[in-house]
């Protein structure tokens, strides 16, 4: 008969009410650091053979809880920072140091808007061993197969059953007596994505900035790095450093050294500001699967906005190679999000993003009003999952594209916009026409004109400028109410 395991845990910390966001944050930080250190220490004992076979090590995520007994007459302009209705709400928290600014803002808004304190204590969600290691603490190198086979006997390991997207998908079923969700993601779900981000981008989550550009062309990466290195040399820019894959950091006057590292699937580059309001560029490669994968993970960082900068097929004869396409609607034939966000759900344009992109095009190109229409067209973008769609029977796809009034076709934009809608992250798309397959101008070497080269050269600058315009907006105005459903989590 197998003997029951004895549970080794640090002393339990009960929930305590705090009227100050700063004090609440400090208690979250204390619980998290104490409990993860407890797990790491026990793991070290296990490696040395000093952990009793009858022991199981367990420590829990910290949690925030708030109780509201009555309805409040709140500012109807708010898109987050308040409880949808009276009740008890709770969320688990991970890596408080990484989320300090976010947590202080969200907790502060709750206390301000509801006039009640928040309660901080230990949840009932165990911290998996793998997630107790952060950054340089990571267990790679000491985690042998022989050790891994026995881990479940001594430690909690990641459990996919508690790492789903039921909250953001609106499918969560809360049992009677349980607290309603306070945030869009649970701590295990966040930890999972933070570890995947480092794997996919070869940069640590701490380097990601609040404003994100996605692209699928190396040209934009090279231009971004060059421009970023120039900007950090200008003290007036507000940018402080550039981080490249491999966590190579360039500072003013000091260029990061090249080093050998594993080339990531979707490399990320970060133009940093001290307050995290800089710009991150991710080269997502080609296809909707990559687009979904990276946005699934970046979403847990709660960015202020993300924008897709890529190339597309122009579908109108009046378009020229190099013209810009500002998406205000999407035909979703990418299919990767069909299960999470049904195809019948419209993905609306967000005025804040649309205006910033149009302003940026005008500022960088020097054109405005009627003249701006010479180089930019606003309309529907269709995203598909078949790169070689041109080789199919043309009658049906062309008819659908015409009926949808589409002006551009690519493989990623609708996915990024749809996941922005799903995760409540403001989104936008500005594409550059690189070919016109319906009109005999295929994407072939040597077809680029001077106009096309000029437009491509400006494209990245426009994307960066649009994000800078958005940065000047108050956060509560940037986060559109269009992204909120009937009953939402208080945390954005």
């Amino acid at each position: 008969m197998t003997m029951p395991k004895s549970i080794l845990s640090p002393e339990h910390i009960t929930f305590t009410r705090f009227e100050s966001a700063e004090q609440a944050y400090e208690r979250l930080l204390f619980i998290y650091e104490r409990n993860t250190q407890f797990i790491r220490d026990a793991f070290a004992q296990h490696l040395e053979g000093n952990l009793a076979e009858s022991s199981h090590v367990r420590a829990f995520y910290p949690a925030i809880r708030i109780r509201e007994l009555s309805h409040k007459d709140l500012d109807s302009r708010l898109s987050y920072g308040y409880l949808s209705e009276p009740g008890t709400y709770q969320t688990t928290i991970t890596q408080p140091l990484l989320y300090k600014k976010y947590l202080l803002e969200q907790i502060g808004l709750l206390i301000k808007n509801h006039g009640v304190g928040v309660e901080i204590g230990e949840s009932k969600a165990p911290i998996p061993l793998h997630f107790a290691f952060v950054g340089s603490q990571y267990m790679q190198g000491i985690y042998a197969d022989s050790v891994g086979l026995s881990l479940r006997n001594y430690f909690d390991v990641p459990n996919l059953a508690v790492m789903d997207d039921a909250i953001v998908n609106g499918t969560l079923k809360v049992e009677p007596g349980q607290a309603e969700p306070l945030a869009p993601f649970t701590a295990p779900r966040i930890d999972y994505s933070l570890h995947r981000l480092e794997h996919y981008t070869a940069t640590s989550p701490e380097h990601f900035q609040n404003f994100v550009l996605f692209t699928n062309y190396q040209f934009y990466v090279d231009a971004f790095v060059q421009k970023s290195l120039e900007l950090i040399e200008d003290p007036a820019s507000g940018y402080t450093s550039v981080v490249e894959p491999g966590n190579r950091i360039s500072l003013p006057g000091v260029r990061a050294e090249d080093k050998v590292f594993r080339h990531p699937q979707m490399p990320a580059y970060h133009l940093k500001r001290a307050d995290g309001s800089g710009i991150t560029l991710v080269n997502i490669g080609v296809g909707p699967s990559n687009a979904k994968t990276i946005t699934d993970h970046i979403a847990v960082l709660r960015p202020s906005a993300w924008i897709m900068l890529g190339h597309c097929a122009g579908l109108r004869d009046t378009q020229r190679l190099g013209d810009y396409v500002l998406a205000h609607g999407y035909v979703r034939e990418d299919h990767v999000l069909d299960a999470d966000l049904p195809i019948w759900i419209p993905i609306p344009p967000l005025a804040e993003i649309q205006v910033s992109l149009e302003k940026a095009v005008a500022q960088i190109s020097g054109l405005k009003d009627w003249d701006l229409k010479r180089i930019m067209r606003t309309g529907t973008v269709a995203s598909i999952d078949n790169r070689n769609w041109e080789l199919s029977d043309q009658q049906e796809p062309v008819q659908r594209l015409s009926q949808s009034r589409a002006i551009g076709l690519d493989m990623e934009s609708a996915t990024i916009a749809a996941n922005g809608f799903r995760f409540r992250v403001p989104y936008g798309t500005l594409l550059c026409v690189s070919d016109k397959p319906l009109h005999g101008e295929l994407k072939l070497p040597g077809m680029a004109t001077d106009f096309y080269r000029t437009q491509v050269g400006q494209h990245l600058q426009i994307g960066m400028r649009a994000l800078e315009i958005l940065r000047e907006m108050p956060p509560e105005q940037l986060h559109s109410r269009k992204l909120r459903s009937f009953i939402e989590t208080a945390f954005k």
Side-chain angles (χ1 to χ4, degrees), residues 109-166:
L109 287 172
L110 282 179
I111 295 173
K112 173 186 175 184
N113 290 332
H114 289 273
V116 298
V118 297
E119 301 172 30
I120 307 297
E122 281 187 295
S123 71
K124 295 181 180 179
I127 303 173
L129 169 65
H130 305 67
F131 297 162
F133 291 81
V134 177
S136 61
Q137 302 169 339
Y138 192 58
M139 51 199 282
Q140 185 175 353
I142 59 173
Y143 176 64
D145 289 341
S146 58
V147 174
L149 291 173
S150 64
L151 279 181
R152 293 170 186 258
N153 296 328
Y154 297 91
F155 300 92
D156 292 299
V157 295
N159 179 7
L160 291 179
V162 298
M163 288 190 284
D164 59 33
D165 283 329

Side-chain angles (χ1 to χ4, degrees), residues 165-385:
D165 283 329
I167 299 175
V168 291
N169 286 347
T171 58
L172 179 69
K173 303 297 183 183
V174 178
E175 299 296 329
Q178 286 187 342
E180 297 284 343
L182 183 61
F185 299 104
T186 63
R189 170 66 171 83
I190 292 172
D191 271 332
Y192 172 74
S193 280
L194 294 179
H195 283 74
R196 300 312 292 163
L197 270 181
E198 187 139 13
H199 168 76
Y200 283 119
T201 69
T203 54
S204 299
E206 67 195 63
H207 296 306
F208 278 77
Q209 301 295 286
N210 288 341
F211 297 91
V212 183
L213 291 174
F214 297 108
T215 190
N216 50 17
Y217 280 90
Q218 184 63 34
F219 171 87
Y220 293 123
V221 173
D222 296 339
F224 181 78
V225 172
Q226 180 180 345
K227 182 65 175 177
S228 297
L229 292 173
E230 294 172 1
L231 285 170
I232 63 173
E233 298 298 334
D234 177 10
S237 72
Y239 296 108
T240 58
S241 62
V242 178
V243 180
E244 300 175 65
N247 292 319
R248 295 172 294 154
I249 302 175
S250 294
L251 299 169
V254 182
R255 180 74 166 92
E257 295 182 5
D258 290 334
K259 66 177 182 180
V260 177
F261 65 96
R262 175 189 58 82
H263 190 73
Q265 182 177 346
M266 289 177 275
Y269 304 79
H270 313 279
L271 175 57
K272 300 183 67 174
R273 289 169 64 96
D275 61 357
S277 65
I279 300 173
T280 287
L281 175 76
V282 184
N283 186 353
I284 63 175
V286 177
S289 181
N290 276 3
K292 178 184 183 298
T293 296
I294 198 64
T295 48
D296 279 349
H297 300 315
I298 290 180
V300 305
L301 295 172
R302 309 316 294 146
S304 297
W306 62 40
I307 291 175
M308 175 66 190
L309 291 183
H311 288 184
C312 70
L315 300 178
R316 304 301 180 92
D317 192 37
T318 54
Q319 291 171 304
R320 296 171 296 174
L321 302 188
D323 277 353
Y324 298 126
V325 170
L326 176 58
H328 75 181
Y330 300 90
V331 174
R332 295 169 51 202
E333 295 194 358
D334 49 307
H335 301 303
V336 294
L337 279 168
D338 289 0
D340 293 311
L341 195 71
I343 199 70
W344 53 263
I345 296 176
I347 309 300
L350 303 181
E352 298 80 6
I353 308 291
Q354 300 297 99
V355 170
S356 71
L357 281 167
E358 186 168 342
K359 283 184 177 179
V361 174
Q363 291 177 11
I364 300 299
S365 69
L367 302 175
K368 62 180 181 179
D369 301 330
W370 182 250
D371 288 333
L372 195 60
K373 294 181 179 292
R374 295 181 184 275
I375 65 168
M376 185 178 75
R377 184 161 182 163
T378 302
T380 299
V381 169
S383 290
I384 60 172
D385 55 4

